[in-house]
Amino acid sequence: MEAKLQLQEELKRINQWEHSQKDLWFWEKLGRLPFQVLDKLTPKMVHRKLGQWLDELGSYIQNGGKYLVKKENILERLGVTSLEEVPHLPLETMDRVCDELIEARVTFAQLQGAATGIGGALTLAVDVPALLGLALKTLQEIAIIYGYDPNEKQERVFVVKCLQFAAADIVGKKAILEELASFTGQRERVFSELQGWREVMMTFRDQYGWKKLFQAVPIISVLFGSLFNKSFMEDIAETGKMLYRKRRVIEKLKQWEPDV
């Protein structure tokens, strides 16, 4: 069993990270354009693809859909044969495997952005769902690394909440953290609060659509597509790691103090 003081220190670091999510960068603030303006600027094909992915996200929450990942590859990286063994692994092992996974996924997203950038506006409709699908897959893999099963509906809800947190402003982040704080003990409440889950995609459209417009510009499209995809995946992966890591640390601490 890991030292109690070590786990408490890790929880303190995670809480500091949560508190650091207080404001948006200028880049993000610039993206908060009025809905009507953004609606006119965003290519119709991007609207269609986001709408399609919105429907697929709903399907994912309900039954997993085509986005469910296989556990075996992740379990092999962790050196175990079943998900039930994962919670007993040292946090250090989970973190190492998670960091390796994130590095690989960020690199893949970056290359994907560069490749689709070559085609400019013509390949935007391919890049949008591909990147969001990769983000969803990555969050599920992170869930497995920290001992949670994305095949369970409540864990799919948590995955979507991670997506929502990564794109939210400070008010939204605070509200989501309050919801997730009660996740393990009051899951039904979280289900009811997710009735408006479509706001996840609307938030992504606010931040995502206008940035991707630059990928339609010749010459800079390859560089911009690469940099944006890299930044996007880094934000998503960091959010997933920190939020799932917090749950695991708290559960490990409960082995020392039932009232933690």
Side-chain angles (χ1 to χ4, degrees):
M1 187 178 294
E2 290 163 275
K4 178 181 176 182
L5 290 178
Q6 179 185 350
L7 291 171
Q8 289 175 331
E9 185 62 28
E10 294 297 340
L11 183 58
K12 180 180 178 181
R13 291 195 184 100
I14 296 171
N15 288 333
Q16 289 174 339
W17 174 83
E18 290 181 350
H19 290 311
S20 72
Q21 308 294 299
K22 289 183 178 180
D23 200 3
L24 299 173
W25 291 93
F26 172 76
W27 176 260
E28 306 298 340
K29 291 178 180 177
L30 186 61
R32 303 283 169 170
L33 297 175
F35 177 85
Q36 294 84 353
V37 176
L38 187 66
D39 201 50
K40 293 179 180 179
L41 291 177
T42 305
K44 290 183 179 180
M45 60 182 170
V46 174
H47 279 293
R48 287 197 298 270
K49 284 298 180 179
L50 284 174
Q52 177 185 333
W53 203 82
L54 177 62
D55 293 336
E56 292 178 359
L57 184 61
S59 175
Y60 166 75
I61 293 173
Q62 294 303 320
N63 53 42
K66 66 181 182 181
Y67 289 105
L68 282 178
V69 298
K70 293 183 178 180
K71 306 172 189 174
E72 289 74 20
N73 292 339
I74 300 299
L75 295 177
E76 184 177 350
R77 291 190 186 190
L78 290 165
V80 297
T81 56
S82 70
L83 192 62
E84 290 71 25
E85 298 175 69
V86 178
H88 304 292
L89 294 172
L91 190 64
E92 181 181 357
T93 299
M94 299 178 187
D95 291 342
R96 175 181 54 78
V97 174
C98 187
D99 289 340
E100 292 172 353
L101 173 78
I102 290 174
E103 182 178 0
R105 293 291 175 261
V106 169
T107 299
F108 182 84
Q110 189 173 6
L111 293 174
Q112 175 183 293
T116 54
I118 295 175
L122 294 177
T123 51
L124 261 180
V126 175
D127 189 41
V128 171
L131 183 59
L132 291 172
L134 180 62
L136 199 56
K137 178 181 179 181
T138 301
L139 287 172
Q140 291 181 83
E141 291 172 325
I142 292 174
I144 296 170
I145 288 172
Y146 286 98
Y148 301 98
D149 188 355
N151 287 338
E152 297 179 0
K153 186 173 182 179
Q154 62 265 30
E155 291 303 333
R156 296 200 293 272
V157 171
F158 194 91
V159 164
V160 173
K161 282 295 180 181
C162 289
L163 281 172
Q164 189 177 2
F165 182 89
D169 58 19
I170 177 57
V171 176
K173 288 181 187 294
K174 181 179 179 180
I176 294 167
L177 287 176
E178 290 175 354
E179 291 175 19
L180 296 184
S182 63
F183 187 82
T184 54
Q186 303 178 40
R187 295 188 178 187
E188 291 306 316
R189 177 188 167 194
V190 176
F191 278 129
S192 66
E193 289 173 344
L194 202 68
Q195 292 304 308
W197 57 266
R198 279 180 168 78
E199 68 187 67
V200 176
M201 285 307 295
M202 295 304 101
T203 304
F204 271 119
R205 199 281 302 276
D206 288 347
Q207 291 197 35
Y208 188 97
W210 81 272
K211 293 177 186 177
K212 277 303 189 180
L213 292 176
F214 288 95
Q215 197 167 323
V217 180
I219 302 176
I220 69 168
S221 58
V222 174
L223 177 61
F224 196 90
S226 174
L227 292 178
F228 174 76
N229 281 20
K230 178 178 183 292
S231 175
F232 178 87
M233 279 304 301
E234 285 175 339
D235 289 344
I236 291 291
E238 179 186 41
T239 296
K241 177 183 177 180
M242 298 304 282
L243 296 181
Y244 270 110
R245 193 171 186 265
K246 180 178 183 178
R247 287 176 64 188
R248 179 52 59 203
V249 169
I250 289 175
E251 291 187 22
K252 281 180 174 289
L253 277 170
K254 285 180 178 178
Q255 298 175 22
W256 290 91
E257 292 183 28
D259 296 329
V260 170

